[in-house]
């Protein structure tokens, strides 16, 4: 879950701040981006330079930095960062910071960010045992839990004061698992919906060892299935031959030919709420593929002729059958993209079509990013900048979600 995630790490002034360099190193190793924000007191325990080096980003310590010193500092930075993050985690979270957050104070960058957040907030209360067990601290923690804040209990053991009890910052592995868990749980806005996704190429056999195929890697479809599942949907992925791992909690069905893909899709269409066809379905199949390997020396002359027949258009057949389903198609176009995509949207009776051009740098086959436009029947064309396929998947799901009907 941590890979590619944006984490705002708030560090406040407790002795356990000295453990945060290790946490940052592990988050970065797991593929997360980490933006550290420190309170003034935290800087007494660990230096911003150490944390900037490990997080590979400038550490934010001031609400009003010298604007002339660094052009990246803008006075709306607290809003930008709050929108940027997937989760904000404050570790260690002192009794003082917890109290400020509970009551909505915004007297430094860290607490101001907390107020502006749209993503989940998580805390690791870490302090001496009596401060932790103090009734006010406990009331504040309970109040924050009540507002949906995630709190990890401190570990028990020997504390810096020499006393023993709850108050220690949990081990790094536990903190990582905690954040991972939150990222998985949040944003479950597709719970109860069944999302059917097709992915990858199809292969049309010529003989037992050869086939007609295409360069689709399946990455876009796998990202859609993963994103749908993380958002709480029941995700089924019908995949052509690809070299990708099945995303967690996704039901995968492997197929080879367009006809197999059509059969697998049709069998599950009725129960689906959303169908997203990212598959690069071969438009033609070989008529009567050879049962034995075609031998080079047995062919006369320099040419081999294959007779092809049109494959069914799976998406079009779904468009004709659809009742309540939201249908999303992809259009891969090298020229006249918008016009061709609009025509496909209508011809196949779709709710959304996602247009991309494989010739653009950072788009198309086997890349981890994509550059797409999202088109809808009302004539709207949204051009998105280059994004990871996972982010593109979520943006498609955002559009789909608006079109779904929800029973209350
Ligand atoms: N598609 C399908 N069945 C096919 C061909 C395509 O279901 N036999 C789906 C694809 O999964 C995609 C959409 O239709 O979601 C558009 O695919 P594309 O290949 O761009 O369009 P085609 O209709 O095949 O038109 P053309 O190849 O002429 O551009």
């Amino acid at each position: 879950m941590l890979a590619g995630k944006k984490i705002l790490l708030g560090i406040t002034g407790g002795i356990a701040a000295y453990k945060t360099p290790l946490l940052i190193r592990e988050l970065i190793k797991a593929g997360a981006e980490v933006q550290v924000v420190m309170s003034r007191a935290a800087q007494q325990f660990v230096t911003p330079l150490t944390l900037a080096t490990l997080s590979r980003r400038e550490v934010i310590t001031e609400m009003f930095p010298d604007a002339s010193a660094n052009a990246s500092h803008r006075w709306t930075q607290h809003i930008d960062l709050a929108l940027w993050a997937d989760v904000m985690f404050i570790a260690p979270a002192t009794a003082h910071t917890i109290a400020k957050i509970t009551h909505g104070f915004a007297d430094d960058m860290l607490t101001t960010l907390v107020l502006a957040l749209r993503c989940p907030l998580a805390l690791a209360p870490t302090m001496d045992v009596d401060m932790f067990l103090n009734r006010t601290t406990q009331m504040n923690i309970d109040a924050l839990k009540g507002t949906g804040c995630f709190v990890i209990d401190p570990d028990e053991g020997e504390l810096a004061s020499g006393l023993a009890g709850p108050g220690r910052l949990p081990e790094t592995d536990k903190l990582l698992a905690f954040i991972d868990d939150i990222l998985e749980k949040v944003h479950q806005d597709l719970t109860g919906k069944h999302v059917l996704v097709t992915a990858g190429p199809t292969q049309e056999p010529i003989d037992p060892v050869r086939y007609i195929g295409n360069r689709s890697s399946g990455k876009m479809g796998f990202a859609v299935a993963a994103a749908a599942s993380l958002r709480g949907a029941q995700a089924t992925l019908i995949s052509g031959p690809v070299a990708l791992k099945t995303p967690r909690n996704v039901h995968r069905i492997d197929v080879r030919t367009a006809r197999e893909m059509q059969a697998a899709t049709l069998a599950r269409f009725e129960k689906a709420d959303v169908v997203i066809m990212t598959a690069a379905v071969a438009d033609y199949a070989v008529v009567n593929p050879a049962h034995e390997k075609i031998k080079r020396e047995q062919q006369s002359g320099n040419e081999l002729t294959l007779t092809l027949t049109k494959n069914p258009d799976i998406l079009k057949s779904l468009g004709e059958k659809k009742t309540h389903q939201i249908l999303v198609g992809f259009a891969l176009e090298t020229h006249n993209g918008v016009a061709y995509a609009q025509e496909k949207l209508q011809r196949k009776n779709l709710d959304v079509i996602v247009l991309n051009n494989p010739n653009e740098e950072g788009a198309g086959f086997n890349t981890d990013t994509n550059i797409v436009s999202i088109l809808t029947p009302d004539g709207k064309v949204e051009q998105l900048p280059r994004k990871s396929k996972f982010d593109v998947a979520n943006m498609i799901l955002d559009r789909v979600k608006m079109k779904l009907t929800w029973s209350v």
Side-chain angles (χ1 to χ4, degrees):
M1 283 303 301
L2 288 163
K5 288 289 164 20
K6 302 177 185 96
I7 297 172
L8 267 177
L9 181 63
I11 302 176
T12 63
I15 180 66
Y18 84 90
K19 294 181 181 172
T20 53
L22 188 59
L23 175 62
I24 295 169
R25 210 184 62 181
E26 293 302 317
L27 287 169
I28 297 280
K29 241 201 237 169
E33 285 180 64
V34 181
Q35 173 63 63
V36 177
V37 187
M38 299 176 85
S39 71
R40 206 158 290 167
Q43 297 164 54
Q44 301 288 327
F45 296 95
V46 61
T47 72
L49 180 63
T50 306
L51 304 186
T53 308
L54 289 168
S55 64
R56 302 170 201 157
R57 275 170 177 265
E58 192 186 344
V59 167
I60 296 168
T61 53
E62 298 299 326
M63 186 72 196
F64 302 107
D66 179 3
S68 60
N70 187 330
S72 71
H73 279 136
R74 283 175 295 133
W75 75 273
T76 56
Q77 197 180 27
H78 57 297
I79 303 296
D80 298 341
L81 280 173
L83 294 177
W84 170 85
D86 292 307
V87 63
M88 180 167 185
F89 183 38
I90 305 180
T94 59
H96 181 62
T97 296
I98 290 171
K100 285 202 290 180
I101 293 173
T102 308
H103 297 286
F105 282 74
D107 62 352
D108 61 6
M109 188 55 156
L110 194 146
T111 47
T112 305
L113 268 169
V114 169
L115 281 187
L117 283 185
R118 288 196 186 174
C119 67
L121 171 67
L123 302 175
T126 309
M127 59 202 78
D128 218 285
V129 55
D130 295 311
M131 294 174 76
F132 178 68
L133 295 177
N134 180 285
R135 219 171 136 240
T136 309
T137 307
Q138 288 298 316
M139 275 166 49
N140 289 339
I141 291 174
D142 283 344
L144 286 175
K145 280 185 182 167
T147 61
C149 173
F150 296 87
V151 178
I152 182 166
D153 288 330
D155 275 358
E156 293 201 24
E158 197 183 319
L159 300 163
S161 61
L163 297 175
R168 289 169 61 89
L169 185 68
E171 292 306 320
T172 304
D173 280 352
K174 249 195 193 172
L175 298 179
L176 288 176
F178 174 60
I179 302 171
D180 198 87
D181 215 32
I182 294 168
L183 288 168
E184 179 155 5
K185 268 192 260 162
V186 295
H187 211 57
Q188 303 258 302
D189 57 351
L190 295 176
T191 303
K193 298 295 177 190
H194 190 164
V195 178
L196 187 59
V197 184
T198 65
T202 63
Q203 291 181 354
E204 309 301 332
I206 297 170
D207 69 14
V209 293
R210 304 181 180 94
Y211 58 83
I212 297 177
N214 60 66
R215 291 169 49 217
S216 169
S217 64
K219 283 184 178 175
M220 190 64 239
F222 275 58
V224 172
S229 155
L230 287 172
R231 290 170 68 159
Q234 194 187 332
T236 303
L237 177 61
I238 298 172
S239 177
V242 294
L244 295 173
K245 282 195 185 142
T246 311
R248 205 141 51 110
N249 297 326
V250 169
H251 176 52
R252 172 170 170 180
I253 297 154
D254 286 315
V255 295
R256 189 171 173 215
T257 64
R259 287 194 179 274
E260 284 171 22
M261 185 171 275
Q262 183 185 39
T265 310
L266 279 177
R268 288 159 188 86
F269 187 54
E270 182 67 35
K271 290 215 172 96
D273 298 294
V274 181
V275 181
I276 304 182
M277 287 274 317
T278 75
V281 185
D283 280 323
Y284 290 89
V286 177
V287 177
N288 296 327
H291 293 298
E292 306 292 346
K293 188 179 168 202
I294 301 172
K295 299 297 284 178
R296 180 185 166 95
E297 296 311 324
Q298 282 165 10
Q299 305 303 312
S300 54
N302 287 334
E303 284 168 11
L304 172 70
T305 305
L306 295 173
T307 309
L308 304 180
T309 177
K310 237 184 200 162
N311 267 331
D313 186 328
I314 305 172
L315 193 52
K316 188 157 174 281
S317 65
L318 300 181
E320 284 158 8
K321 280 187 186 16
K322 82 171 177 188
T323 49
H324 61 287
Q325 296 89 347
I326 304 297
L327 266 193
V328 182
F330 269 66
L332 193 68
E333 311 290 352
T334 52
H335 61 289
N336 288 340
V338 171
Y340 281 135
Q342 269 163 343
E343 183 276 321
K344 277 178 196 170
L345 181 84
Q346 288 194 349
R347 179 162 49 86
K348 303 196 187 196
N349 194 19
L350 307 179
D351 299 283
V352 176
I353 195 157
V354 183
L355 165 67
N356 62 350
N357 178 347
N359 295 337
E360 267 186 279
E361 173 97 22
F365 297 126
N366 219 0
T367 56
D368 292 316
T369 56
N370 212 350
I371 305 168
V372 304
S373 299
I374 300 181
L375 287 77
T376 39
D378 55 9
K380 224 165 108 181
V381 181
E382 282 181 86
Q383 272 183 302
L384 304 183
R386 186 161 78 111
K387 289 184 168 292
S388 72
K389 285 188 172 169
F390 187 73
D391 284 350
V392 171
N394 271 312
M395 297 195 76
I396 296 166
L397 291 172
D398 289 343
R399 309 304 182 276
V400 164
K401 195 188 141 201
M402 291 193 282
K403 292 175 178 281
L404 282 166
T405 47
W406 300 83
S407 48
V408 278

